[in-house]
């Protein structure tokens, strides 16, 4: 080198070259990827499983109380929701029972739309009839998102009494609700 410094052995010179540094870094990270993957998966399980249990398996629910109206939400196991909603109405918890299972073909007032549309329709109906409280009957897995969406659209008291449904497609339902809840929280933030 020009300043009189001389490197004695070639290993010192090679270790500072960009190629040697890249090889060292690759070997260092390449050797630990299984451990990093396990840590990542472990963290995911530690966060995902309790959140799934709290949001979808054992969501916050309410005891039935007297309200202005009951809304049975649309979903996979319609019979369970309908039976619970009718039972609550027959016990006198509300004078009006709404079913959000309409379609454009049969001229029912609630269009067959995803949760957000059901919540908007129910809130408009409740506002038009001067309601102050609403009891919604979703499936257990959809109770958290249903509460969130109805509370965004309806300014009155919202109670959630979910129907117990068979566990037929439970993993698929949970994944669907995760997607719907994340979309409701991050993308579709209004009513």
């Amino acid at each position: 080198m020009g300043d009189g410094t001389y490197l004695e052995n070639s290993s010192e010179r090679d270790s500072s070259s960009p190629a040697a540094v890249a090889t060292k870094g690759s070997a260092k990270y390449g050797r630990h990827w299984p451990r990093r993957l396990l840590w990542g998966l472990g963290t995911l399980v530690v966060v995902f499983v309790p959140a799934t249990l709290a949001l979808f398996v054992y969501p916050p629910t309410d005891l039935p109380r007297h309200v202005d109206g009951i809304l049975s939400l649309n979903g996979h196991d319609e019979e369970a929701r309908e039976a619970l909603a009718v039972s609550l109405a027959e016990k006198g918890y509300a004078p009006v029972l709404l079913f959000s299972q309409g379609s454009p073909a049969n001229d029912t007032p609630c269009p067959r739309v995803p949760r957000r549309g059901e919540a908007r329709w129910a809130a408009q109906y409740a506002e038009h009839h001067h309601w102050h409280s609403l009891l919604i009957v979703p499936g257990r897995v959809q109770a958290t998102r249903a509460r969130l969406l109805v509370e965004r659209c309806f300014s009155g008291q919202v109670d959630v009494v979910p129907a117990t449904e068979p566990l037929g497609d439970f993993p698929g339902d949970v994944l669907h609700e995760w997607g719907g809840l994340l979309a409701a929280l991050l993308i579709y933030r209004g009513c």
Side-chain angles (χ1 to χ4, degrees), residues 71 99-104 106-113 117-119 121-122:
L71 170 65
F99 293 95
S100 68
Q101 29 175 275
S103 70
N106 65 12
D107 295 329
T108 53
C110 176
R112 192 174 192 94
V113 291
E118 290 176 301
W121 172 78

Side-chain angles (χ1 to χ4, degrees), residues 52 54-61 71-78 80-82 100 113-116 118-119 136-150 158 160-165 170 172-178 180-181 184:
T52 298
L55 294 171
F56 308 117
V57 180
Y58 305 106
T61 60
L71 170 65
S72 175
L73 292 175
N74 193 17
H76 293 303
D77 189 18
E78 207 64 50
R81 295 162 208 239
E82 286 179 9
S100 68
V113 291
R115 288 301 151 252
R116 214 162 48 107
E118 290 176 301
I136 57 175
V137 181
R140 179 165 299 284
V141 174
Q142 68 182 181
T144 298
R145 183 165 59 119
R147 180 189 300 270
L148 172 72
L149 296 175
V150 173
V158 175
V160 178
V161 179
T164 303
E165 299 174 313
F170 190 72
D173 290 344
V174 167
L175 288 176
H176 175 80
E177 283 302 314
W178 265 115
L181 183 60

Side-chain angles (χ1 to χ4, degrees), residues 126-142:
E127 182 181 321
H128 179 73
H129 291 87
H130 308 288
W131 289 358
H132 302 286
S133 57
L134 186 61
L135 188 150
I136 57 175
V137 181
R140 179 165 299 284
V141 174
Q142 68 182 181

